[in-house]
Amino acid sequence: MLVSEIFDSIEGEGVRAGQLCTFIRLAGCNLRCSYCDSMYAVDPAKYGGKAKEMSVNEVLAYVNRRYRRVTITGGEPLLFSETVKLADRLCDMGYEVNIETNGSCDIVVFRDMIQHSENLFFTVDFKLPSSGVMYDMRLSNFDNLTPRDVLKLVIGSEEDMSVGLAFAKRIFDQYRSDAPYIYCGVVFGKFELADVIEECKLDKELADIRFQLQMHKYIWDPDLRGV
C-alpha cells in the first residue's frame, strides 16, 4: 500500500477525542474537497507530500502496541484492497480500528471482509454543499451504519448548516435508538461552531447531536503534519 505517514498522536475528533492512537495515513483519494487539510496525502507529487510503498507487515511494525487503538485515514483508505488486509490483521490482534472514510466508498463490503468486525468502526463523512463533492456520496452507506459508527458533518456555510442538520434529523429518525454517533464540526477558521450549536438548541430532534473541534489544530500549529 502507498503510505503517506504513520505517527502517534491524540484523536482530535469523534468518539476517541483526546485518546492516544497510532495514525496510518494512506496516500491517494478519489475526491477533491474544497477544504481538504491533507492534500499532501491526496496528491503527494503536487502538494509536497511523500508516499512510500509498504507491505502490511511493514506497516504493522510501526503500530504502537501500548495504545491498542489505530486510525486508518487518508486520502481515502477504502480505495485500496490492502486496507482490508491491514484492518483485518489489526482487528484480529485485538486493536480497536477506526476507518476514516469520505463517504463515497462502500463500507458494507469492507466490513463484511473483516473477521473480528466488532473491533472495527467507521467514521463516515457526509459531505455538504461547500465541499463541492456532495453528489459523490454513496447513500447506501448511511443506511448501513451501526451504533458504533460515527457520521461526521463538517459545516462551512449557512447552506451547509441547513442541509447538514436536516440530514442529521433524518438519520436520527431512521435509526431511532440504534442511531450512530453524529458529530458536527466546522471548516477550521471558516464558520462558527457557536452558530451551529445555537441552531441545534432550538430543535428537539437534534438533542443528541455532538459537537467537536479539531483538537490537534488548537494544541499544535494547524498546518503541522504528523500530529
Side-chain angles (χ1 to χ4, degrees), residues 10 28 34 43-44 55 63 65 73 76 101 104 107 124 129 137 170 172 188 194 200 205:
I10 61 165
S34 64
D43 191 342
S55 70
V63 173
R65 298 180 183 275
T73 186
E76 173 47 55
T101 177
S104 70
I107 67 170
V124 186
M137 295 297 92
R170 195 199 99 181
F172 280 133
F188 187 80
C200 291
E205 294 181 70

Side-chain angles (χ1 to χ4, degrees), residues 103-137:
S104 70
C105 299
D106 194 333
I107 67 170
V108 177
V109 171
F110 188 98
R111 196 191 321 258
D112 287 345
M113 290 189 285
I114 304 298
Q115 182 178 1
H116 292 285
S117 60
E118 69 275 9
N119 292 333
L120 175 78
F121 70 94
F122 290 97
T123 298
V124 186
D125 288 356
F126 181 77
K127 301 292 186 183
L128 297 171
S130 74
S131 71
V133 295
M134 187 174 76
Y135 294 105
D136 291 294
M137 295 297 92

Side-chain angles (χ1 to χ4, degrees), residues 67-85:
Y67 305 151
R68 313 304 295 177
R69 290 178 291 270
V70 174
T71 290
I72 305 176
T73 186
E76 173 47 55
L78 297 192
L79 291 177
F80 312 106
S81 60
E82 290 297 303
T83 307
V84 175
K85 299 176 185 177

Side-chain angles (χ1 to χ4, degrees), residues 6-147:
I6 303 174
F7 59 94
D8 292 343
S9 188
I10 61 165
E11 287 271 20
E13 307 172 83
V15 293
R16 299 196 307 205
Q19 290 188 287
L20 289 165
C21 172
T22 296
F23 287 83
I24 302 167
R25 186 182 301 280
L26 303 183
C29 189
N30 58 322
L31 301 183
R32 296 294 185 272
C33 299
S34 64
Y35 50 74
C36 181
D37 58 4
S38 54
M39 285 302 295
Y40 62 92
V42 170
D43 191 342
K46 185 174 180 180
Y47 292 94
K50 297 179 181 179
K52 181 181 179 181
E53 192 75 38
M54 300 178 70
S55 70
V56 168
N57 284 338
E58 287 173 327
V59 172
L60 288 173
Y62 283 90
V63 173
N64 195 315
R65 298 180 183 275
R66 289 178 295 159
Y67 305 151
R68 313 304 295 177
R69 290 178 291 270
V70 174
T71 290
I72 305 176
T73 186
E76 173 47 55
L78 297 192
L79 291 177
F80 312 106
S81 60
E82 290 297 303
T83 307
V84 175
K85 299 176 185 177
L86 175 61
D88 192 48
R89 289 278 300 279
L90 287 165
C91 288
D92 187 54
M93 295 164 68
Y95 288 91
E96 181 187 61
V97 179
N98 174 20
I99 305 285
E100 292 188 339
T101 177
N102 64 27
S104 70
C105 299
D106 194 333
I107 67 170
V108 177
V109 171
F110 188 98
R111 196 191 321 258
D112 287 345
M113 290 189 285
I114 304 298
Q115 182 178 1
H116 292 285
S117 60
E118 69 275 9
N119 292 333
L120 175 78
F121 70 94
F122 290 97
T123 298
V124 186
D125 288 356
F126 181 77
K127 301 292 186 183
L128 297 171
S130 74
S131 71
V133 295
M134 187 174 76
Y135 294 105
D136 291 294
M137 295 297 92
R138 184 182 290 265
L139 296 180
S140 60
N141 283 336
F142 306 103
D143 295 323
N144 289 282
L145 299 170
T146 75

